[in-house]
Amino acid sequence: MIDDLTHTALAVTKDTVLRILNDIGLLLELKGENPFKSRAYYQAARALEKESGDIADLVATGAISSIKSIGPAIAKKLTELVTTGRLDYYEQLKASIPPGCIEMLKAPGLGPKKIHILCNVLGIATLSELEQACRENRLLDLPGFGQKTQEKILAGIEQVKSYRDRYLYASVAGRAEELTGFLRVQEGVTAVETAGSLRRLCETVKDIDVVAASAAPEILADAFAAMPSVAQVTAKGATKVSVRLFSGIAADLRIVSPGQFPYALHHFTGSKDHNTALRGRAKRMGFKLNEYGLFEGERLIHCSTEEELFGALGLCYIPPELREAMGEIEAAEGSAIPDLIDMKDVKGLLHVHTDMSDGSDSLERIVSAARAMGLSYIGIADHSISAAYAGGLSEEAVKRQHALIDEIMARHPSPHIFKGIEAEILADGSLDFSDDILETFDFVIAAVHSHFSMSAESMTNRILTALDNPLTAILAHPTGRLLLARKPYAVDIDRVIDRAVEHSVAIELNANPLRLDLDWRQIRQALEKGALIAINPDSHRAADLKDIRFGLNIARKGWMTPKHCLNCLDVKEIGDVFSRKRNRRRKS
Ligand code: DGT
Ligand code: CA
């Protein structure tokens, strides 16, 4: 949120433009400007989101000015942003608000209007000042605040503090690619790779680690420090340069000689525990391993790639995402590293929302996006009736959607469209549509979206009851966590996994980069128990079908192969899985 995305060497994407429009709306609210001004930016973002054309073309042809809800002033700003990669108005707006007030937006229970009051009436400019003010009960007399609000804000601050200084993989990966792309073309550079938690495909990262090999290290160090996205150089030496980017994230560049590259890349990829285990193995074999090389006494054992380094230690290659000291070294010793799942193995995507509930694209548009991705099926699963907050479908709406699906399939047989629903798991574990209605769908996804604060025992029983429904095919986002924002609800995940295995219910790995739920550590446990995982985009826009890649990263981290994945089945096989569910209900 409120990120410096405009200091970029690459073309500005539509997503970036949408985010900046929404950020401007928020920043204007934070400043206490006329609400009508912020609304104009939010509306412009919504209108632009619906446009199918490429953002650069819309600007180049001037078509941007004829979009309803985009007035001449905003059109001019968008033109500046898209053509120069930077928007001066946005930069000035950000600079005019204390960073602490922007950070407050991350706290649940605090919106821009409240923050404006806190900053302007109480003169609060940082999260710590706000925490202190809460502890001194200074919020109680403010209009629209009270004891409950103050407690909620305090809890929100605790949460923000616990997540501080980590970033979502998805918000950093693109930035790291820009950095490595920039470094690769510098004079004297022979190799550049991202390292650290980012290369290990972790769900969140603290910083961007990059390792480069160069014959001209000083030139590279200077070029890195002088990049336009660098806000501050925090350390600069011959082999290491540390910077902070305008977006707030730190980036470390390690520069080594070309011969040291594989050892350094391995070392800075980590994880620390994996490195410790590998160093121990090297020692037992009579070697010494560090970031400079693999040595037998004084002699360097020459390795030109990481593969050769693992090979010298009697191991097959270990993909970075498995380097977490979770049995990968033992597996590599017996050449038992699994053939990890990849996009090419994915046959279709399930758990897709349309504009009939809270998605923003039409069914037709989503289906064409799925076709363009080469998918052989797509599973529509809008929200069900009691999800009022998300435009849950009534029985009539369900019938209309099914008729529309039949009509589209009659015109275009591929991709096949499975009729699904994301049914609410009510507090007692029942689903919110009757089984007779649920049976009209090809598949049912059961999901918890309410009553998060139940005891672990009640929540577990609630979910087990939903799994007992013979029509439940998939359990969505099983722990309800939101990365860097909301902890999982209390639930005995082992019992949930056992019951899902017992009833052949697939467990979702939600590919939304904010969720990535089930966690990869638990996926590994689930696979050991024989669970089937559905890697689902939970998309609310056609473009978000591509989020599947974040899910695949985590699936790989959880040691998943295609045979563990529901949506690696082909259209006939998955159709049979769904039919078996309905047959089971008829027999029960
Ligand atoms: P992060 O940054 O918290 O998301 O996680 P990492 O794994 O990227 O950690 P970071 O940036 O502190 O260090 C990058 C890698 O460098 C780490 O995975 C392994 C290596 N490394 C750093 N410090 C040590 C250390 O004290 N011992 C060993 N063996 N390796 C280290
Ligand atoms: Ca790191």
Side-chain angles (χ1 to χ4, degrees):
M1 194 191 291
I2 316 284
D3 196 4
D4 184 86
L5 288 164
T6 52
H7 290 79
T8 167
L10 298 178
V12 177
T13 63
K14 185 173 169 187
D15 276 351
T16 305
V17 173
L18 294 179
R19 193 147 14 146
I20 288 176
L21 283 171
N22 284 313
D23 282 358
I24 293 176
L26 262 180
L27 290 166
L28 289 170
E29 282 193 73
L30 272 180
K31 275 185 88 102
E33 297 275 349
N34 189 331
F36 142 90
K37 262 177 113 175
S38 337
R39 252 195 322 268
Y41 284 91
Y42 295 139
Q43 278 166 355
R46 273 201 300 276
L48 190 59
E49 193 175 6
K50 292 205 173 77
E51 284 295 314
S52 52
D54 182 70
I55 185 75
D57 291 343
L58 288 172
V59 165
T61 58
I64 194 97
S65 312
S66 47
I67 299 174
K68 206 172 154 250
S69 303
I70 298 190
I74 296 185
K76 193 161 167 252
K77 291 190 177 75
L78 292 181
T79 306
E80 179 189 332
L81 174 59
V82 172
T83 51
T84 68
R86 194 187 143 85
L87 177 58
D88 213 39
Y89 174 71
Y90 177 49
E91 299 305 326
Q92 286 182 16
L93 199 56
K94 269 190 297 184
S96 70
I97 296 170
C101 295
I102 296 177
E103 190 181 20
M104 287 175 206
L105 281 169
K106 293 183 186 156
L110 266 180
K113 284 187 200 68
K114 283 207 167 67
I115 298 172
H116 175 72
I117 296 174
L118 292 166
C119 296
N120 286 278
V121 180
L122 297 183
I124 287 169
T126 67
L127 212 61
S128 325
E129 285 171 13
L130 178 57
E131 184 175 5
Q132 191 58 24
C134 288
R135 301 209 185 280
E136 291 170 1
N137 288 317
R138 282 195 277 133
L139 271 58
L140 298 184
D141 297 333
L142 293 175
F145 289 73
Q147 185 70 38
K148 272 228 162 72
T149 320
Q150 185 172 276
E151 281 164 18
K152 217 169 144 192
I153 291 174
L154 209 46
I157 294 172
E158 281 304 314
Q159 195 164 312
V160 175
K161 276 170 47 187
S162 69
Y163 295 133
R164 234 180 205 168
D165 298 333
R166 290 200 75 80
Y167 298 79
L168 289 181
Y169 173 90
S171 63
V172 173
R175 197 71 52 87
E177 272 170 36
E178 282 177 31
L179 291 189
T180 50
F182 173 87
L183 295 173
R184 264 189 202 110
V185 297
Q186 303 301 313
E187 194 187 326
V189 169
T190 56
V192 178
E193 284 298 336
T194 308
S197 48
L198 207 54
R199 184 166 182 240
R200 299 199 314 278
L201 307 180
C202 294
E203 63 278 27
T204 65
V205 303
K206 179 193 70 194
D207 55 9
I208 300 175
D209 298 291
V210 179
V211 181
S214 173
E218 292 83 8
I219 295 179
L220 190 61
D222 288 345
F224 183 67
M227 283 187 320
S229 54
V230 169
Q232 192 193 356
V233 178
T234 45
K236 188 158 176 278
T239 58
K240 182 178 172 189
V241 185
S242 299
V243 300
R244 193 161 286 281
L245 303 181
F246 278 106
S247 56
I249 193 166
D252 276 354
L253 169 67
R254 265 91 176 191
I255 308 174
V256 298
S257 69
Q260 289 171 335
F261 186 75
Y263 314 98
L265 177 61
H266 176 270
H267 176 85
F268 292 112
T269 296
S271 64
K272 213 170 152 183
D273 291 344
H274 165 91
N275 287 357
T276 306
L278 202 67
R279 269 204 312 270
R281 179 181 177 85
K283 205 168 167 191
R284 285 191 298 279
M285 292 173 75
F287 302 138
K288 192 176 108 192
L289 174 66
N290 58 31
E291 61 264 54
Y292 307 109
L294 176 66
F295 301 92
E296 188 170 28
E298 295 296 301
R299 185 180 71 91
L300 173 74
I301 299 175
H302 178 78
C303 302
S304 51
T305 60
E306 278 188 327
E307 277 89 343
E308 289 181 16
L309 174 56
F310 284 118
L313 292 167
L315 303 172
C316 69
Y317 180 69
I318 303 176
E321 54 271 42
L322 298 190
R323 301 183 198 166
E324 297 289 352
M326 287 176 70
E328 70 277 10
I329 295 177
E330 294 75 4
E333 190 170 28
S335 294
I337 292 288
D339 207 356
L340 299 175
I341 188 169
D342 209 336
M343 189 60 206
K344 68 175 175 0
D345 305 311
V346 172
K347 303 292 192 307
L349 295 178
L350 309 165
H351 198 169
V352 170
H353 293 274
T354 76
D355 58 5
M356 282 187 77
S357 68
D358 59 347
S360 52
D361 282 324
S362 67
L363 184 58
E364 293 245 20
R365 195 149 160 193
I366 292 163
V367 170
S368 5
R371 190 176 302 121
M373 285 172 75
L375 299 173
S376 55
Y377 57 86
I378 184 132
I380 300 300
D382 271 317
H383 290 282
S384 55
I385 188 154
S386 58
Y389 60 91
L393 266 49
S394 64
E395 282 182 52
E396 291 68 37
V398 167
K399 284 188 188 133
R400 266 187 284 125
Q401 186 174 67
H402 288 183
L404 181 61
I405 290 176
D406 291 339
E407 192 255 311
I408 294 176
M409 275 206 288
R411 275 188 284 126
H412 305 288
S414 181
H416 182 85
I417 309 171
F418 285 109
K419 298 168 182 159
I421 188 81
E422 183 179 11
E424 293 289 301
I425 304 179
L426 302 176
D428 65 357
S430 62
L431 302 183
D432 64 338
F433 272 134
S434 71
D435 286 356
D436 286 339
I437 296 170
L438 290 177
E439 212 187 294
T440 66
F441 294 93
D442 292 317
F443 70 102
V444 174
I445 302 180
V448 167
H449 291 113
S450 61
H451 303 96
F452 289 123
S453 47
M454 285 180 156
S455 70
E457 183 63 18
S458 308
M459 183 61 92
T460 306
N461 287 332
R462 173 186 183 188
I463 296 176
L464 296 183
T465 304
L467 295 175
D468 288 341
N469 186 315
L471 289 167
T472 301
I474 299 173
L475 172 66
H477 37 73
T479 75
R481 76 163 178 199
L482 293 179
L483 288 165
L484 308 182
R486 187 172 77 202
K487 289 193 164 44
Y489 36 69
V491 63
D492 183 342
I493 199 71
D494 283 333
R495 286 179 66 205
V496 169
I497 294 169
D498 288 341
R499 189 68 61 90
V501 172
E502 187 189 331
H503 292 330
S504 304
V505 174
I507 299 174
E508 179 173 88
L509 161 51
N510 190 298
N512 182 322
L514 259 169
R515 290 190 183 268
L516 300 173
D517 177 16
L518 195 60
D519 185 270
W520 55 269
R521 300 157 190 88
Q522 293 165 331
I523 286 179
R524 185 86 186 280
Q525 293 167 20
L527 299 185
E528 275 159 19
K529 290 170 183 249
L532 193 60
I533 307 286
I535 311 177
N536 292 343
D538 192 2
S539 52
H540 289 73
R541 298 183 311 163
D544 292 344
L545 291 176
K546 295 237 160 68
D547 281 356
I548 186 67
R549 76 181 178 101
F550 302 118
L552 284 164
N553 285 350
I554 294 301
R556 292 170 66 87
K557 247 186 126 43
W559 293 54
M560 267 179 76
T561 69
K563 77 169 196 297
H564 299 122
C565 176
L566 175 69
N567 44 311
C568 287
L569 295 177
D570 69 25
V571 66
K572 161 89 174 58
E573 291 164 337
I574 198 166
D576 290 346
V577 168
F578 292 155
S579 303
R580 279 202 292 277
K581 288 274 158 197
R582 290 195 301 281
N583 290 339
R584 206 175 128 208
R585 189 243 159 172
R586 282 177 204 133
K587 284 189 204 133
S588 66

